[in-house]
Amino acid sequence: AQSVAQPEDQVNVAEGNPLTVKCTYSVSGNPYLFWYVQYPNRGLQFLLKYITGDNLVKGSYGFEAEFNKSQTSFHLKKPSALVSDSALYFCAVRGYNNDMRFGAGTRLTVKP
Amino acid sequence: DTEVTQTPKHLVMGMTNKKSLKCEQHMGHRAMYWYKQKAKKPPELMFVYSYEKLSINESVPSRFSPECPNSSLLNLHLHALQPEDSALYLCASSQETSNYGYTFGSGTRLTVV
């Protein structure tokens, strides 16, 4: 079965500092990996995806993610965090049956 | 149109009521989904529709009944719910193949009293 894990419930960073939100995956075959962000009482917004190609994927709002096959990781990164980046972040994997499964989520807090 | 629209945004229903949640998209997506999300938890997949046919039912209780009347609409019929069914219900749609992400609606906040 396809799955992803987010080892950190909470990540705190200061505004202007780089941020990393971690994700590891367990898939058979080629992984289709995604990052979504959720603001309070809202649906999920797509940030970026890895399907194939370059290991560094650039997405919305200045976010990027690095796919690492040897470490089975897909960490989300941003060079300089904003207070407005504070939200709940989900890593996800899409299976061959059209089913997308989410990690437990990481709450990012960016302090001024 | 690049949105998934869910109605109503909020719903309070008694345990003996029957209600329906509605989801609509006009992006030409042929796969549509229902997810349930409890507070501070990840979305949990409930149902997957592909070309208007139910392809995945994640062992959801029969008090939840999905319906896909056409390629743009997805309904979730609710009957005899329990208080523990209170949650945010999210609808999503996507292209059929795995290398596309989902587009999510803003959800329906359901409270069962």
Side-chain angles (χ1 to χ4, degrees):
Chain A
Q2 322 277 59
S3 65
V4 289
Q6 295 178 244
E8 300 161 318
D9 293 334
Q10 175 88 33
V11 170
N12 298 316
V13 298
E15 188 174 30
N17 283 2
L19 70 86
T20 298
V21 183
K22 296 180 180 177
C23 173
T24 58
Y25 65 89
S26 174
V27 304
S28 54
N30 295 323
Y32 299 110
L33 300 168
F34 300 82
W35 276 102
Y36 285 84
V37 60
Q38 187 176 32
Y39 295 97
N41 296 312
R42 299 297 301 275
L44 280 72
Q45 297 177 29
F46 171 80
L47 284 177
L48 49 81
K49 66 180 180 181
Y50 174 82
I51 304 300
T52 186
D54 290 341
N55 290 341
L56 186 62
V57 179
K58 294 190 182 297
S60 307
Y61 314 117
F63 284 93
E64 57 190 29
E66 186 172 9
F67 173 74
N68 187 316
K69 188 173 183 179
S70 62
Q71 296 184 7
T72 62
S73 66
F74 188 55
H75 300 333
L76 181 70
K77 302 185 180 197
K78 188 174 183 181
S80 178
L82 300 172
V83 172
S84 57
D85 292 330
S86 299
L88 189 56
Y89 289 80
F90 291 102
C91 181
V93 59
R94 185 167 177 176
Y96 299 115
N97 293 323
N98 264 337
D99 53 327
M100 188 170 291
R101 312 285 173 170
F102 291 85
T106 298
R107 181 159 301 281
L108 173 67
T109 301
V110 181
K111 298 184 178 179
Chain B
D1 188 352
T2 58
E3 289 187 344
V4 173
T5 302
Q6 289 188 245
T7 55
K9 293 191 182 304
H10 301 275
L11 178 62
V12 179
M13 61 183 291
M15 290 188 284
T16 58
N17 290 159
K18 287 184 180 180
K19 297 287 185 182
S20 296
L21 309 184
K22 181 180 175 181
C23 174
E24 191 168 4
Q25 58 88 15
H26 297 285
M27 294 176 280
H29 292 168
R30 301 310 298 269
M32 296 186 75
Y33 315 85
W34 281 114
Y35 281 83
K36 174 183 178 181
Q37 187 180 25
K38 302 285 269 186
K40 300 181 181 180
K41 297 293 185 182
E44 296 176 358
L45 184 64
M46 299 174 72
F47 302 105
V48 176
Y49 272 84
S50 180
Y51 291 92
E52 295 98 69
K53 293 188 188 306
L54 182 65
S55 59
I56 294 179
N57 176 340
E58 290 285 287
S59 302
V60 178
S62 59
R63 58 185 183 269
F64 296 90
S65 176
E67 178 196 20
C68 190
N70 60 57
S71 60
S72 299
L73 283 175
L74 185 65
N75 297 320
L76 186 62
H77 302 297
L78 314 173
H79 173 56
L81 295 192
Q82 303 297 311
E84 59 264 30
D85 296 322
S86 299
L88 181 68
Y89 287 85
L90 294 165
C91 174
S93 70
S94 75
Q95 300 282 8
E96 178 66 6
T97 54
S98 296
N99 57 346
Y100 289 93
Y102 292 5
T103 302
F104 281 85
S106 295
T108 294
R109 174 73 60 189
L110 174 67
T111 303
V112 182
V113 297

